[in-house]
Amino acid sequence: MRAVQEAARTALASGARWVDTAPNYAHGLAHHELAPVLGEYPHAQVTTKTGFHTRAQGQAAVVAGVLTAEHAAVGHSLEPAFIRWQTERSLHALGREADLVFVHNPEHVHHHDGRDECHAQLRSAFAELESLVQERRIRGYGVATWSGFTSGAFTVPDLLRLATEAAGSERHHFRGLQLPVSLVMAAPIDQALDGGGPLIQARDAGIATFGSAPLHGGELPGLMTPELVELIRPGLSVPAAALLVAGSCPGLDVVLVSASGQQHWDDAAKVLAEPLAVDRLRKVINALAAG
């Protein structure tokens, strides 16, 4: 688990502003590993998540009375009592408040129970998170999704409406949206280039946007051809070219990068400092569509 600390310390020492984590990351130990590093960098901004849990966390939730054994066996829950319990545990493990708590992949509910039930559970989850904001335990909340937009589970206007309903007014604290942005998950880039899609809708609503999995879990470099890398920017390494495309997406505020060492972090920071021009990015996306 030392890799968690090394990656976070390298990024923060190099000027990164955000650390993104979740209670189920690193076999459930990510928060404990991050706590001492965050103590060294008190001005770092932290996002965590609620929804997924490890088997051990699920068992603890059953003992605490916030999940039934049947619900715990699913490995994911948006029950308000569970969200509060999990978030409080996360804050305790991190040793600080969270700037954002993302509801993690709520489309799981849509897959099993349909769109209306997904929205109902999201509204309840947002209401619980609004309470935690009012109690000054967290600063805001949002949604981290993998396929929520592509599956039709929700749209950005849906999420903002549900947040308004949960808060009882438009003064809600829905502040962040996280979704995959990469050459594999390129729909958000294509839509943003056309002036639409979730990233542009979120930006226009004042919502911070976070792009996850820019290298698609490390799989993307093995899928790219030399011709595609050359089209993106001559002379780049394959991972750098893939990262550059994600980092050049209009409407994207933060690209979530995991670097194993200082050299990797420096390389990532250098390539992201010079994003592609819009016309070049469009050529790349069009080439993908044609291929």
Side-chain angles (χ1 to χ4, degrees):
M1 300 305 166
R2 205 164 82 191
V4 174
Q5 290 191 356
E6 291 177 353
R9 186 172 282 112
T10 297
L12 291 171
S14 301
R17 297 185 298 113
W18 289 94
V19 173
D20 179 68
T21 184
N24 61 312
Y25 288 176
H27 307 290
L29 297 177
H31 288 165
H32 294 283
E33 293 296 316
L34 284 170
V37 181
L38 294 174
E40 298 168 17
Y41 296 90
H43 298 299
Q45 293 176 284
V46 179
T47 70
T48 187
K49 302 178 181 72
T50 183
F52 285 113
H53 55 79
T54 65
R55 182 177 179 183
Q57 292 164 355
Q59 292 171 342
V62 172
V63 172
V66 296
L67 285 181
T68 65
E70 182 181 4
H71 286 159
V74 176
H76 182 272
S77 177
L78 298 187
E79 289 294 322
F82 173 76
I83 284 177
R84 174 173 285 272
W85 176 85
Q86 187 178 46
T87 300
E88 292 282 7
R89 279 171 55 104
S90 294
L91 300 179
H92 177 75
L94 289 167
R96 53 160 291 167
E97 68 179 14
D99 293 277
L100 287 173
V101 175
F102 289 118
V103 180
H104 202 176
N105 287 16
E107 61 267 25
H108 275 254
V109 179
H110 172 247
H111 176 73
H112 291 288
D113 301 315
R115 196 171 192 268
D116 289 346
E117 181 61 21
C118 177
H119 287 201
Q121 291 201 29
L122 270 171
R123 187 186 300 108
S124 296
F126 290 173
E128 196 64 46
L129 293 166
E130 285 285 349
S131 294
L132 287 166
V133 173
Q134 298 302 325
E135 295 164 20
R136 299 179 183 270
R137 301 293 289 131
I138 64 176
R139 294 182 179 177
Y141 61 91
V143 162
T145 180
W146 186 259
S147 61
F149 296 115
T150 56
S151 69
F154 44 75
T155 65
V156 170
D158 287 334
L159 296 176
L160 296 175
R161 172 180 55 80
L162 293 168
T164 297
E165 293 170 0
S169 78
E170 293 187 356
R171 298 182 64 182
H172 58 74
H173 294 84
F174 189 101
R175 297 285 189 268
L177 182 67
Q178 183 182 132
L179 68 159
V181 179
S182 72
L183 281 166
V184 173
M185 309 289 276
I189 305 175
D190 191 22
Q191 293 166 338
L193 285 169
D194 289 336
L199 292 174
I200 300 302
Q201 290 172 334
R203 182 198 65 187
D204 291 347
I207 307 300
T209 56
F210 299 76
S212 61
L215 301 185
H216 203 65
E219 296 178 9
L220 185 51
L223 304 175
M224 296 173 65
T225 65
E227 292 78 14
L228 180 58
V229 174
E230 186 75 7
L231 176 62
I232 294 168
R233 181 171 290 164
L236 289 182
S237 67
V238 176
L243 183 61
L244 178 58
V245 170
S248 301
C249 180
L252 187 59
D253 295 317
V254 180
V255 182
L256 298 174
V257 179
S258 179
S260 58
Q262 188 65 55
Q263 186 60 53
H264 285 167
W265 177 263
D266 290 345
D267 291 344
K270 182 179 179 180
V271 73
L272 289 174
E274 298 181 30
L276 294 173
V278 169
D279 60 344
R280 173 64 62 173
L281 183 59
R282 172 51 76 191
K283 287 181 181 178
V284 172
I285 297 304
N286 287 345
L288 284 177

